Amino acid sequence: MDQNKQNEDYGYQLFTERNSGKFKKGSVAESLFTFNHKCQVMLKVALDTSPYAKLLLGAMKQSGCTVYKERHFSCEDCDGIVSGGFDATTSQIVLCQNNIHQQAHMNRIVTHELIHSFDHCRAHVDWFDNFKHLACSEIRAANLSGDCSFSNELSRFKFGLKQHHQECVRDRALRSVLAVRKVSREEAEKAVNEVFESCFNDYEPFGRIPHSKNDAKYAYRDFQNQNRYYANL
């Protein structure tokens, strides 16, 4: 397949530096850009303080997929419509430094992409050719990352509907699939609908839907206690 066509089909055109091949991780010039420095600082805060991120990092380490900040995260400029992405070819999370300006936004994007990374670690995900696999991970990421929390939906002027959380998850998963794959809306909807029930009810590694930061803290506490329990057996 033509490389440009393949990149377009898989959504790489959204990540302009990565797609152009001109991004050089760790270059002197990179460290001088304000966006990059701010992105790196916010990333560190997210990894050090977010209970969502801390639980996911712990679960991945337990599964044999330890995440390293310098290796598995990359702050880059992206297309204006995306805030982050998971590059399965390099097992790397891309954070769109030109589109992430608030710590809460960074925390949510880091969590969302770490869920994809966790799925990549624990399962044989066919990210590029199986729309059901992609849809399942997008459903889980929307469900467990806080994307559809009441406060976030309120800021979008969306609230008050019965089963609103489920509909938000379905809608955001569909949008994500359409953003990164050249696929018709009908095909994307079919993939999301076919796997929605099972993937929506897969809460690993949280054990519950963390609707708020407090929920995530309780889930992280339970994860830590579980580790202590098994260590004493």
Side-chain angles (χ1 to χ4, degrees), residues 62 222-233:
Q62 189 179 76
D222 291 346
F223 174 78
Q224 289 178 304
N225 290 338
Q226 177 192 59
N227 286 347
R228 293 190 188 105
Y229 171 78
Y230 287 117
N232 290 326
L233 289 180

Side-chain angles (χ1 to χ4, degrees), residues 99-159:
N99 296 330
I100 303 175
H101 305 295
Q102 303 294 331
Q103 187 63 51
H105 189 193
M106 173 64 80
N107 292 353
R108 194 166 71 253
I109 297 303
V110 166
T111 300
H112 184 111
E113 302 307 335
L114 276 174
I115 291 168
H116 292 322
S117 188
F118 175 79
D119 288 347
H120 187 68
C121 170
R122 71 168 181 157
H124 299 291
V125 182
D126 184 353
W127 296 100
F128 300 107
D129 297 314
N130 191 319
F131 292 143
K132 289 183 183 180
H133 286 194
L134 173 64
C136 184
S137 192
E138 292 295 355
I139 290 165
R140 281 177 31 78
N143 191 27
L144 302 174
S145 67
D147 284 354
C148 289
S149 68
F150 177 77
S151 59
N152 283 328
E153 282 295 88
L154 194 63
S155 69
R156 301 174 188 128
F157 301 101
K158 295 180 179 180
F159 50 88

Side-chain angles (χ1 to χ4, degrees), residues 21-204:
K22 65 183 180 181
F23 180 73
K24 301 297 182 183
K25 185 71 175 171
S27 67
V28 175
E30 172 195 345
S31 64
L32 299 177
F33 288 109
T34 303
F35 277 163
N36 187 269
H37 176 71
K38 184 177 180 181
C39 177
Q40 295 290 346
V41 170
M42 288 196 296
L43 170 60
K44 185 177 189 308
V45 171
L47 297 179
D48 289 347
T49 66
S50 167
Y52 294 88
K54 290 164 76 172
L55 192 158
L56 284 158
L57 293 171
M60 290 185 68
K61 183 176 181 179
Q62 189 179 76
S63 299
C65 300
T66 301
V67 175
Y68 298 98
K69 177 176 175 289
E70 294 75 15
R71 162 64 181 85
H72 294 105
F73 293 90
S74 181
C75 290
E76 304 176 18
D77 285 340
C78 308
D79 184 278
I81 67 170
V82 295
S83 297
F86 177 68
D87 187 348
T89 61
T90 60
S91 298
Q92 196 168 47
I93 290 170
V94 182
L95 300 171
C96 299
Q97 61 194 19
N98 56 319
N99 296 330
I100 303 175
H101 305 295
Q102 303 294 331
Q103 187 63 51
H105 189 193
M106 173 64 80
N107 292 353
R108 194 166 71 253
I109 297 303
V110 166
T111 300
H112 184 111
E113 302 307 335
L114 276 174
I115 291 168
H116 292 322
S117 188
F118 175 79
D119 288 347
H120 187 68
C121 170
R122 71 168 181 157
H124 299 291
V125 182
D126 184 353
W127 296 100
F128 300 107
D129 297 314
N130 191 319
F131 292 143
K132 289 183 183 180
H133 286 194
L134 173 64
C136 184
S137 192
E138 292 295 355
I139 290 165
R140 281 177 31 78
N143 191 27
L144 302 174
S145 67
D147 284 354
C148 289
S149 68
F150 177 77
S151 59
N152 283 328
E153 282 295 88
L154 194 63
S155 69
R156 301 174 188 128
F157 301 101
K158 295 180 179 180
F159 50 88
L161 300 176
K162 187 177 180 180
Q163 291 189 314
H164 180 75
H165 180 77
Q166 289 91 327
E167 291 309 307
C168 172
V169 169
R170 190 188 302 273
D171 179 66
R172 294 189 72 80
L174 176 61
R175 288 170 181 264
S176 293
V177 172
L178 289 171
V180 299
R181 294 294 182 271
K182 285 290 184 182
V183 58
S184 70
R185 187 178 183 86
E186 290 73 20
E187 288 177 288
E189 285 179 339
K190 184 173 185 291
V192 169
N193 289 336
E194 286 182 354
V195 301
F196 187 82
E197 184 174 355
S198 61
C199 298
F200 181 84
N201 291 304
D202 179 0
Y203 304 143
E204 288 301 315

